[in-house]
């Protein structure tokens, strides 16, 4: 459950278990152990996690599985005694900080000892072979007022350049042509290694790796610098695609959210980005209904979307989490009003995209083919963004290969293309 960071964690746990005497099998195939990697970022995620745990426990009572392990953010967020009282039939709880020990923990539970098989099992990917997520750091130091991640994931810790170069080389050997760099805050990378945020150093170190596309995800606006933007501009395999969760644009709300920048800084950075990176595709997310948010501030956000050509956005309703600073704020926005504001902002963005995308008709694009008549350009990250839809698929097209196409029709969230 949850985000791409959890998917990356799951791949690492599977790899550890493959080397510890366990064999991955399809769900519903007489498995003995089921591991649920969980999300607990907001209440909706907690509800989904608990419903999934309950469903798996029902299967366990029916004899369809023997051992249930719950890992990830959910056991990291809540105290062990609370979890044991709520779900006493769960056999093992594994916090995010303990995931690297899952082989030892599960071996002792199942075998009564640590077990090391003779043969080394091949790496198991949870994504198609042509793209891979590379998690460059763990944890977060930002402590935004609405967020529980620092409590769940702990303080920020960067992987070193050699560690990441080794991971990248491994994924390239498995067939990756596209890498997505992820973290809680990718722009914080290197702060613990070099005394200051140094993502530009990593960008330069990976600029000669043999992949077509590298995407930078989860960029924090206050840590975007001219040096980082220059490194992105000068690195040919860094996509002209950036994912920067902005959350809001009103200076007063940004201060309450503890976002470490104001609207003026945000505008300066976006102006520089669009000036420096031709054909930039910018993705962002926004929170609607934060305590104290007014209609005027929502309109300010709408005006901001008209000023800057975001390719993709997501809007989320504010979720009150009891461990956060914002939970103590007054002037709560009613849920019905939050949903109305989301619909309004997403409607503004849809109208803008319908108008802007018309200019793409006739434009050539490099596309990576995903199968089923769809593909993605540099403008689209896997899973979270739209796709290119082929009017007809040439027989020689293969999944995971790059092809040149031309845009023939557009809508807000999907482009129709034809092969060139």
């Amino acid at each position: 459950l949850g985000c791409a960071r959890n998917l990356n964690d799951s791949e690492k746990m599977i790899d550890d278990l493959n080397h510890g005497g366990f064999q991955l099998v399809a769900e519903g195939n007489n498995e003995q152990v089921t591991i649920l990697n969980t999300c607990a970022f907001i209440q909706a995620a907690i509800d989904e996690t608990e419903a999934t745990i309950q469903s798996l426990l029902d299967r366990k009572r029916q004899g369809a599985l023997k051992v249930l392990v719950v890992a990830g953010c959910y056991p990291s967020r809540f105290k062990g005694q609370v979890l044991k009282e709520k779900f006493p039939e769960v056999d093992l709880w594994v916090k995010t900080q303990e995931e690297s020990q899952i082989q030892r923990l599960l071996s002792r539970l199942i075998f009564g000892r640590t077990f090391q098989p003779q043969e080394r099992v091949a790496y198991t990917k949870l994504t198609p072979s042509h793209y891979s997520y590379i998690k460059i750091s763990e944890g977060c130091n930002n402590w935004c007022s609405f967020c529980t991640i620092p409590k769940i994931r702990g303080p920020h810790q960067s992987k070193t350049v050699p560690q990441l170069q080794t991971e990248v080389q491994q994924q390239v050997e498995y067939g990756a042509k596209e890498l997505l760099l992820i973290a809680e805050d990718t722009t914080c990378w290197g702060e613990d290694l070099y005394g200051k945020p140094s993502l530009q150093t990593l960008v330069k170190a990976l600029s000669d790796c043999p992949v077509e596309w590298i995407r930078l995800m989860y960029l924090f606006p206050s840590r975007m610098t001219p040096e980082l933007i220059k490194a992105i501009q000068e690195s040919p395999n860094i996509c002209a695609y950036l994912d920067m969760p902005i959350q809001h644009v009103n200076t007063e709300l940004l201060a309450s959210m503890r976002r470490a920048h104001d609207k003026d800084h945000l505008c300066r950075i976006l102006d520089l980005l669009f000036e420096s990176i031709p054909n930039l595709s910018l993705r962002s997310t926004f929170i609607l209904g934060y305590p104290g948010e007014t209609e005027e501030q929502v309109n300010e956000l709408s005006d901001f979307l008209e000023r800057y050509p975001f390719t993709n956005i997501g809007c989320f309703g504010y979720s009150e989490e009891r461990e956060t600073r914002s939970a103590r704020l007054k002037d709560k926005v009613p849920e019905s009003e939050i949903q109305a504001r989301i619909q309004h902002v997403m409607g503004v963005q849809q109208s803008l995209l319908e108008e802007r995308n018309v200019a793409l008709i006739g434009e050539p694009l490099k596309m990576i083919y995903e199968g089923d008549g769809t593909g993605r350009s540099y403008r689209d990250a896997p899973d979270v963004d739209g796709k290119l839809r082929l009017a007809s698929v040439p027989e020689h097209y293969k999944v995971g290969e790059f092809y040149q196409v031309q845009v023939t029709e557009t809508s807000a969230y999907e482009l129709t293309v034809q092969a060139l």
Side-chain angles (χ1 to χ4, degrees), residues 71-115:
C73 293
Y74 183 76
S76 296
R77 181 164 178 179
F78 300 103
K79 294 181 179 179
Q81 189 57 39
V82 173
L83 299 176
K84 290 176 183 177
E85 290 176 1
K86 194 162 195 174
F87 297 108
E89 295 169 278
V90 170
D91 298 282
L92 180 64
W93 299 94
V94 181
K95 299 179 181 180
T96 55
Q97 296 87 348
E98 298 170 332
E99 287 173 356
S100 61
Q101 306 172 44
I102 193 154
Q103 176 183 331
R104 177 181 61 82
L105 295 170
L106 199 51
S107 292
R108 288 183 176 178
L109 180 66
I110 303 300
F111 305 129
R113 60 187 175 88
T114 300
F115 177 77

Side-chain angles (χ1 to χ4, degrees), residues 127-131 175 177-178 212-213 215 365-378 380 382 386-405 415 417-419:
T127 62
S129 61
H130 57 272
Y131 68 84
K177 300 180 177 68
E178 175 182 3
E212 292 278 339
W213 290 342
R215 294 185 189 275
L365 289 171
K366 180 189 282 189
M367 179 191 77
I368 192 165
Y369 185 55
E370 297 279 17
D372 296 325
T374 66
R376 292 182 293 106
S377 74
Y378 80 93
D380 314 298
K387 288 188 176 182
L388 307 179
R389 188 161 298 279
L390 284 150
S392 61
V393 182
E395 291 185 3
H396 67 277
Y397 271 28
K398 295 180 180 178
V399 172
E401 297 294 333
F402 286 95
Y403 301 97
Q404 288 294 324
V405 297
L415 306 180
V417 299
Q418 65 181 15

Side-chain angles (χ1 to χ4, degrees), residues 173-205:
E173 291 173 0
Y174 297 148
K177 300 180 177 68
E178 175 182 3
L179 303 175
L180 297 95
L181 303 191
I182 59 173
E184 306 301 338
D185 171 7
T186 52
T187 47
C188 193
W189 183 87
E191 192 170 56
D192 51 328
L193 302 176
Y194 307 107
K196 62 180 180 179
S198 304
L199 183 58
Q200 65 271 12
T201 300
L202 180 61
V203 165
K204 293 174 184 176

Side-chain angles (χ1 to χ4, degrees), residues 150-174:
K151 179 180 185 296
I152 294 171
R153 290 276 181 175
H156 177 267
Q157 295 177 296
S158 303
K159 294 180 182 177
T160 65
V161 168
Q163 283 177 310
L164 291 167
Q165 288 175 324
T166 298
E167 283 191 37
V168 166
Q169 182 58 38
Q170 183 185 45
Q171 294 302 323
V172 169
E173 291 173 0
Y174 297 148

Side-chain angles (χ1 to χ4, degrees), residues 13-24 117 121-124:
M13 285 192 284
I14 289 170
D15 193 44
D16 288 344
L17 292 170
N18 278 342
H19 301 153
F22 296 91
Q23 179 183 1
L24 186 68
V121 181
Y123 191 90
T124 301

Side-chain angles (χ1 to χ4, degrees), residues 13 20 37 43 70 76 98 140 148 162 191 193 221 247 249 271 276 315 320 348 350 376 396 404:
M13 285 192 284
N37 195 6
Q43 189 58 48
V70 178
S76 296
E98 298 170 332
C140 185
T148 59
E191 192 170 56
L193 302 176
Q247 312 304 8
V249 301
D271 288 340
S276 304
C315 287
E320 182 176 297
V348 169
Q350 181 172 339
R376 292 182 293 106
H396 67 277
Q404 288 294 324

Side-chain angles (χ1 to χ4, degrees), residues 44-337:
I46 293 170
D47 293 343
E48 182 184 20
T49 288
E50 292 180 346
T52 307
I53 293 173
Q54 194 58 61
S55 176
L56 291 170
L57 287 176
D58 290 343
R59 289 183 57 204
K60 183 181 179 185
R61 295 183 195 106
Q62 296 163 5
L65 62 93
K66 294 182 180 179
V67 175
L68 176 59
V69 179
V70 178
C73 293
Y74 183 76
S76 296
R77 181 164 178 179
F78 300 103
K79 294 181 179 179
Q81 189 57 39
V82 173
L83 299 176
K84 290 176 183 177
E85 290 176 1
K86 194 162 195 174
F87 297 108
E89 295 169 278
V90 170
D91 298 282
L92 180 64
W93 299 94
V94 181
K95 299 179 181 180
T96 55
Q97 296 87 348
E98 298 170 332
E99 287 173 356
S100 61
Q101 306 172 44
I102 193 154
Q103 176 183 331
R104 177 181 61 82
L105 295 170
L106 199 51
S107 292
R108 288 183 176 178
L109 180 66
I110 303 300
F111 305 129
R113 60 187 175 88
T114 300
F115 177 77
Q116 191 68 38
Q118 294 290 324
E119 298 182 7
R120 185 171 181 83
V121 181
Y123 191 90
T124 301
K125 287 197 64 175
L126 299 180
T127 62
S129 61
H130 57 272
Y131 68 84
S132 298
Y133 292 98
I134 304 292
K135 187 157 71 166
I136 65 174
S137 63
E138 181 64 78
C140 185
N141 294 340
N142 292 326
W143 290 100
C144 298
S145 68
F146 54 83
C147 185
T148 59
I149 291 298
K151 179 180 185 296
I152 294 171
R153 290 276 181 175
H156 177 267
Q157 295 177 296
S158 303
K159 294 180 182 177
T160 65
V161 168
Q163 283 177 310
L164 291 167
Q165 288 175 324
T166 298
E167 283 191 37
V168 166
Q169 182 58 38
Q170 183 185 45
Q171 294 302 323
V172 169
E173 291 173 0
Y174 297 148
K177 300 180 177 68
E178 175 182 3
L179 303 175
L180 297 95
L181 303 191
I182 59 173
E184 306 301 338
D185 171 7
T186 52
T187 47
C188 193
W189 183 87
E191 192 170 56
D192 51 328
L193 302 176
Y194 307 107
K196 62 180 180 179
S198 304
L199 183 58
Q200 65 271 12
T201 300
L202 180 61
V203 165
K204 293 174 184 176
L206 298 181
S207 63
D208 61 350
C209 74
V211 294
E212 292 278 339
W213 290 342
I214 297 178
R215 294 185 189 275
L216 302 181
M217 312 293 286
Y218 310 120
L219 300 163
F220 201 78
S222 67
R223 291 193 177 92
M224 289 297 298
T225 63
E227 293 78 16
L228 174 56
I229 294 171
K230 188 172 186 288
I232 293 169
Q233 180 189 26
E234 294 177 348
S235 302
N237 58 359
I238 301 294
C239 281
Y241 171 104
L242 299 176
D243 169 61
M244 184 188 299
I246 292 174
Q247 312 304 8
H248 217 287
V249 301
N250 175 264
T251 292
E252 183 180 344
L253 287 182
L254 288 170
S256 181
M257 290 178 172
R258 296 170 60 89
R259 294 291 285 171
H261 63 270
D262 58 13
K263 184 179 180 180
D264 286 344
H265 171 85
L266 194 56
C267 290
R268 285 195 301 271
I269 287 298
L270 293 190
D271 288 340
L272 182 58
L273 280 170
F274 281 106
E275 176 187 325
S276 304
I277 304 175
N279 301 314
L280 173 65
S281 178
L282 184 63
R283 172 182 177 78
S284 192
T285 52
F286 299 95
I287 295 173
L288 276 299
Y290 185 85
E293 183 188 59
T294 65
E295 287 284 352
E296 183 180 1
Q297 291 165 341
V298 175
N299 291 332
E300 185 179 357
L301 173 54
S302 298
D303 293 342
F304 190 83
L305 296 178
E306 294 185 15
R307 176 176 174 179
Y308 294 105
F310 290 88
T311 306
N312 296 286
I313 71 166
C315 287
F316 301 91
Y318 170 75
S319 177
E320 182 176 297
E321 305 301 316
R322 61 182 177 83
E323 304 99 330
T324 61
R325 291 173 180 265
S326 64
R328 300 193 293 268
L329 296 176
K330 309 299 182 183
D331 297 327
K332 309 295 185 186
V333 179
E335 182 62 30
S336 59
E337 181 60 27

